[in-house]
């Protein structure tokens, strides 16, 4: 069965559906915890123990260690929760969008601005 044209996958993107939400639950729960300064400090003090505390799987742990936002998305991460993690790295959602599209951050910003006109 072919997906309808309005639901066709976009090349290079991961669709965050129910399956991905279930897969990424632990990762997203951990990232949500970064709203608290004490949680950010605990993560930075012992990343492995913090990941284990939330039950991350090996792919999620590897993506965390690599600081790879695209792998985190592929591992079930939701960008709104991942923003808490990438924020600790000095990145923002536009940085992640640039990574997803293969553009520089400036190119990505220009693309967004052009789409708004």
């Amino acid at each position: 069965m072919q997906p309808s044209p309005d639901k066709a996958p976009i090349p290079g993107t991961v669709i965050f559906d129910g399956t991905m939400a279930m897969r990424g639950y632990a990762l997203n729960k951990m990232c949500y915890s970064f709203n608290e300064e004490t949680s950010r400090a605990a993560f930075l003090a012992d990343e492995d123990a913090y990941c284990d505390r939330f039950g991350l799987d090996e792919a999620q742990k590897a993506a965390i260690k690599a600081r790879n936002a695209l792998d985190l998305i592929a591992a079930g991460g939701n960008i709104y929760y991942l923003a808490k993690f990438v924020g600790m790295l000095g990145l923002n959602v536009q940085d992640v969008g640039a990574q997803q599209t293969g553009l520089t951050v400036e190119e990505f910003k220009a693309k967004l601005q052009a789409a708004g006109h």
Side-chain angles (χ1 to χ4, degrees):
M1 177 180 220
Q2 292 281 1
S4 65
D6 62 323
K7 300 213 186 228
I10 301 167
T13 63
V14 175
I15 305 300
F16 190 80
D17 58 10
T19 301
M20 290 301 284
M22 289 174 38
R23 177 164 187 236
Y25 180 79
L27 172 62
N28 293 318
K29 186 174 179 180
M30 182 184 82
C31 288
Y32 180 80
S33 77
F34 297 143
N35 282 315
E36 302 292 328
E37 173 61 34
T38 55
S39 295
R40 295 189 298 270
F43 172 81
L44 294 171
D46 189 344
E47 292 183 21
D48 291 330
Y50 203 79
C51 289
D52 287 343
R53 173 178 155 195
F54 283 87
L56 271 61
D57 66 28
E58 292 308 311
Q60 292 166 337
K61 289 178 188 178
I64 288 286
K65 285 182 184 282
R67 307 300 200 248
N68 188 312
L70 299 181
D71 286 350
L72 288 165
I73 290 169
N78 179 293
I79 190 60
Y80 297 107
Y81 294 112
L82 293 177
K84 309 297 182 196
F85 175 66
V86 299
M88 289 192 314
L89 307 176
L91 302 174
N92 62 40
V93 174
Q94 288 184 350
D95 293 308
V96 176
Q99 288 179 19
Q100 286 180 296
T101 58
L103 301 172
T104 67
V105 174
E106 291 308 315
E107 290 169 335
F108 183 70
K109 287 179 183 180
K111 182 177 180 175
L112 291 176
Q113 288 175 339
H117 293 321

